[in-house]
Amino acid sequence: MQTIYLDNNATTPLGAEALEAMTPFLTAHFGNPSSSHSLGAIASQAVQVARAQVAGLIGASPEQVFFCSSATEGINAVLARRSGRVVTSVVEHAATLQVLEQGRGNDEEVTQLPVDQMGQISLQRLEEQLKKGPCTVALLWANNETGVIAPIADIAILCERYGARLHVDAVQAAGKLAVDFARIPIASMVISAHKIFGPKGAAALIVRDPDGIAPWIWGGGQERGRRSGTENVPAIVGYGAACATAARAIDRRMHDTGTLRDHLESALLDRVADTWVNGAGEPRLANTTNVGFNGVDGETLAGMLDSRGIAVSTGSACHSRTVEPSHVLRAMTGSYQKASQSIRFSLSHANTLQEIDTVVNEVCEAVTRLR
Ligand code: PLP
């Protein structure tokens, strides 16, 4: 049975361009970028090409890109050694919430802004926090569970006005939205390869002022002394190729994916009674819909779909082995029950209309049985 994969916000398969670019670096071009011989130079040059490709996708300059192993690492690099107050929200990814949790007990203060029913923070509340004095603001650009897009340009301007340092989790935004780091006053930002058809094991921390970022792993001085450890050259090369492809294809991909997502969403709302979309009405990523089915346990529904060859998720992947319903949906709906009745479909341009029609039929049947 071929899987219909609708869990692309958790991870994506490796794209053909990324695989092709990586293959020589898994075989013949195995050199260490720090070595002074030719094999080393080939690897070192490939890392620099990838740096430019990654920078190109998000409108940064190559010097602003620091490679790391995962967005989680990049988030930790910025937030684990913070000083002073931090303002964040209740719907952040676990990487942000957990690293901030670790710092509790020191004298710094962490404020978690609530969200409305649509998953948005109040800019007025944010401004009240900014007026209290210098702080770091850590927010998602696009939510991984609902796809709801934050007005990050407005947030950035507000932070700039009050001298706050804005750190953005752009993991789901990059490759799905026009991200222009050069034009939005964001201090730092994380992105990750495996969400955009690149390999696992490569990600990037993007910093406005490359001189202002302190080392977070010490050793041989790779990544200009900030992140020591021999580079994962094949993964970085694959990441660069995935970014180059995404930059070329973003409009078409999002148009095609959005058409499929809208079809899925409207068919489910039409055909399954007592159904809602979490975050409907807000700007959302074109590939994501988070749908609630009244009276149906989301975990059970996701399990039934899995047994029929359809991969979906009930929350962020990091939480999917726990029975706790999503913290994001609980914050938005104010209801444990509603949160537990929702599932996330995250599509990609690789899906087909035929697949979506199959999914709609299977969901209708499964929901009817469960009710
Ligand atoms: N932030 C968001 C919004 C995510 O969706 C994810 C992955 O689930 C992460 C951070 C963590 O990314 P990584 O898997 O590269 O650590």
Side-chain angles (χ1 to χ4, degrees):
M1 181 170 46
Q2 182 111 26
T3 301
I4 300 179
Y5 188 69
L6 301 184
D7 199 16
N8 289 277
N9 288 7
T11 197
T12 52
L14 190 63
E17 296 86 354
L19 176 61
E20 194 187 335
M22 290 169 75
T23 304
F25 292 89
L26 290 162
T27 50
H29 298 163
F30 58 85
N32 184 328
S34 299
S35 299
S36 53
H37 49 64
S38 310
L39 272 178
I42 291 171
S44 169
Q45 210 209 335
V47 170
Q48 296 322 321
V49 169
R51 199 182 302 285
Q53 289 170 317
V54 171
L57 176 65
I58 40 116
S61 67
E63 310 77 62
Q64 294 174 317
V65 175
F66 291 86
F67 285 120
C68 49
S69 64
S70 64
T72 299
E73 182 189 327
I75 291 168
N76 275 260
V78 172
L79 296 179
R81 289 168 311 119
R82 67 200 179 268
S83 59
R85 253 168 13 98
V86 182
V87 179
T88 186
S89 88
V90 292
V91 296
E92 297 307 301
H93 188 270
T96 296
L97 296 178
Q98 290 303 313
V99 70
L100 292 177
E101 191 58 38
Q102 298 315 309
R104 296 257 169 124
N106 301 341
D107 47 9
E108 96 246 28
E109 191 192 326
V110 176
T111 303
Q112 277 188 287
L113 296 171
V115 293
D116 61 21
Q117 281 191 328
M118 293 298 148
Q120 299 282 22
I121 60 163
S122 145
L123 294 198
Q124 204 183 327
R125 278 197 161 167
L126 173 61
E127 190 166 7
E128 284 163 16
Q129 290 300 321
L130 297 175
K131 281 180 180 165
K132 291 183 184 172
C135 62
T136 298
V137 175
L139 292 172
L140 278 164
W141 191 319
N143 190 280
N144 46 304
E145 296 194 34
T146 58
V148 169
I149 299 167
I152 217 73
D154 296 341
I155 290 171
I157 289 165
L158 205 53
C159 289
E160 191 182 39
R161 190 183 307 153
Y162 289 93
R165 203 183 168 286
L166 176 62
H167 170 73
V168 174
D169 178 340
V171 166
Q172 297 293 343
K176 296 179 190 148
L177 294 176
V179 171
D180 194 350
F181 188 72
R183 292 179 57 153
I184 304 181
I186 294 169
S188 57
M189 188 169 96
V190 287
I191 54 178
S192 188
H194 74 101
K195 309 290 184 175
I196 61 156
F197 296 86
K200 292 161 186 69
L205 170 62
I206 317 296
V207 289
R208 172 89 30 210
D209 170 17
D211 295 332
I213 180 90
W216 66 95
I217 298 183
W218 289 264
Q222 288 87 348
E223 291 301 287
R224 287 152 288 157
R226 304 319 195 287
R227 202 267 181 188
S228 289
T230 301
E231 298 87 340
N232 185 350
V233 179
I236 288 172
V237 167
Y239 191 12
C243 285
T245 305
R248 277 196 304 276
I250 184 166
D251 290 343
R252 183 178 42 78
R253 280 183 175 180
M254 287 309 111
H255 173 269
D256 295 352
T257 313
T259 305
L260 292 177
R261 190 276 311 267
D262 291 349
H263 177 70
L264 170 67
E265 203 169 273
S266 54
L268 290 176
L269 291 174
D270 275 1
R271 288 183 49 190
V272 190
D274 254 344
T275 302
W276 69 92
V277 173
N278 294 298
E282 283 305 295
R284 282 179 299 146
L285 296 174
N287 79 317
T288 309
T289 183
N290 192 306
V291 185
F293 300 91
N294 198 22
V296 172
D297 177 55
E299 279 294 328
T300 314
L301 176 57
M304 277 176 82
L305 293 176
D306 186 38
S307 70
R308 296 166 188 209
I310 298 167
V312 297
S313 148
T314 51
S316 80
C318 318
H319 287 148
S320 61
R321 298 220 174 270
T322 72
V323 284
E324 277 289 290
S326 146
H327 68 288
V328 174
L329 300 181
R330 271 186 289 156
M332 286 169 67
T333 61
S335 156
Y336 191 93
Q337 197 184 32
K338 274 196 133 179
S340 65
Q341 293 173 341
S342 298
I343 59 176
R344 174 184 75 185
F345 303 87
S346 50
L347 286 64
S348 84
H349 57 275
N351 292 123
T352 64
L353 190 57
Q354 200 184 357
E355 285 183 329
I356 299 303
D357 284 335
T358 304
V359 170
V360 171
N361 289 336
E362 293 290 357
V363 171
C364 288
E365 214 181 288
V367 168
T368 305
R369 272 183 55 189
L370 288 170
R371 278 179 179 161

